[in-house]
């Protein structure tokens, strides 16, 4: 009995460590702007991007402004290039973690437009702002994705500064939406839970409430092929979540491509599920 208890404890520790290792590290780097007196606006854009990544919860997030002077120097010298072994060693020596991705950006435009009443009197200001951010894979230096964000105030503010600051705050939801597109939730297929006439009818995926999966979410089933060292991703089917089974799993109904999914799964080919971004109301419509 004691041996069983020890074994279960070890299994739980391994499970916890594995769960922690699953999260990749994203470093939110600098947001640049060449306009005069724009430093505070650029910092606010940076902070909103940090908040969006933290709120999304898919990654471990590091703010470059929280690093040591040495850590900042190493990342800024490396820029958007892949982190080589020397830089990784220097980061370790500086007591800093090596990131998998870096987010950088540019504040391209901002303005505050006077809002007037029927008499032509200025009653406030409407803020608007544009910025671009991109995500670079620090393992190989390739670009993971890029987003162009345009935001504005819904109501007028008393001062120009307040209007622009409010526009920045209103960008968070748009940033989160772009994060979802750049980093779609992916999951392994655990098992085919039902099949009929050579086609999968339902299956279990390794993605649950911990990743924000909900009943009604849809995933495309993809096959990864390789040709001369280059990867090709091909959609072979689609599934819909019917039951979220805790933090790590979800039961899904196969809505398309059941025969191909079953054949590839049994053939142990490299297939996975990738979430399709939600476009309907929240939460998803019940089945």
């Amino acid at each position: 009995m004691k041996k069983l208890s020890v074994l279960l404890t070890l299994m739980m520790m391994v499970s916890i460590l594995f769960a922690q290792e699953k999260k990749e590290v994203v470093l939110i780097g600098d947001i640049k702007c060449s306009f005069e007196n724009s430093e505070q606006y650029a910092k606010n854009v940076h902070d909103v991007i940090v908040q969006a990544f933290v709120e999304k919860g898919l990654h471990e997030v590091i703010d470059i402004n929280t690093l040591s002077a040495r850590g900042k120097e190493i990342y800024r010298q490396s820029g958007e290039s892949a982190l080589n072994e020397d830089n990784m060693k220097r980061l370790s020596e500086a007591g800093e973690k090596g990131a998998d991705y870096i987010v950088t950006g540019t504040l391209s435009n901002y303005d505050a437009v006077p809002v007037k009443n029927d008499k032509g009197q200025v009653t406030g200001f409407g803020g608007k702002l544009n910025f671009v951010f991109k995500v670079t894979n620090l393992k190989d230096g390739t670009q993971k994705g890029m987003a162009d964000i345009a935001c504005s105030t819904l109501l007028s503010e008393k001062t120009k500064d307040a209007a622009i600051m409010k526009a920045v705050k209103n960008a968070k939801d748009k940033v989160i939406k772009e994060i979802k597109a750049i980093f779609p939730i992916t999951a392994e297929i655990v098992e085919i839970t039902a099949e009929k006439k050579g086609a999968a009818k339902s299956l279990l995926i390794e993605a649950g409430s911990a990743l924000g999966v909900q009943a009604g979410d849809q995933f495309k089933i993809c096959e990864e092929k390789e040709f001369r060292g280059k990867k090709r991703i091909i959609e072979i089917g689609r599934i819909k979540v019917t039951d979220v089974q805790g933090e790590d799993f979800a039961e899904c109904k196969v809505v398309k491509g059941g025969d191909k999914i079953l054949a590839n799964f049994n053939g142990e080919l490299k297939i996975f599920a990738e979430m399709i971004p939600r476009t309907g109301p929240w939460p998803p419509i019940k089945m």
Side-chain angles (χ1 to χ4, degrees), residues 116-122:
K116 299 179 180 181
N117 60 19
D118 295 339
K119 297 179 180 180
Q121 300 170 322
V122 176

Side-chain angles (χ1 to χ4, degrees), residues 154-167:
L154 300 175
L155 301 173
S156 65
E157 299 291 329
K158 291 182 179 180
T159 67
K160 290 182 178 180
D161 277 347
I164 295 171
M165 295 293 192
K166 187 65 175 179

Side-chain angles (χ1 to χ4, degrees), residues 33-52:
C33 186
S34 58
F35 302 117
E36 288 186 17
N37 304 317
S38 61
E39 293 84 1
Q40 187 60 49
Y41 300 141
K43 181 183 182 304
N44 288 352
V45 168
H46 168 95
D47 292 346
V48 162
I49 294 174
V50 171
Q51 291 166 16

Side-chain angles (χ1 to χ4, degrees), residues 46 94 107 177 236:
H46 168 95
L107 174 57
K177 183 179 179 181
I236 62 171

Side-chain angles (χ1 to χ4, degrees), residues 26 28 47-61 101 103 133 135 172 175-176 179 182-183:
V26 170
I28 312 301
D47 292 346
V48 162
I49 294 174
V50 171
Q51 291 166 16
F53 269 90
V54 170
E55 189 171 314
K56 190 67 191 81
L58 292 177
H59 305 88
E60 181 180 344
V61 181
Y101 299 95
V103 179
F133 74 88
V135 180
K172 187 174 73 170
V175 175
I176 290 174
I179 293 171
I182 295 171
F183 292 99

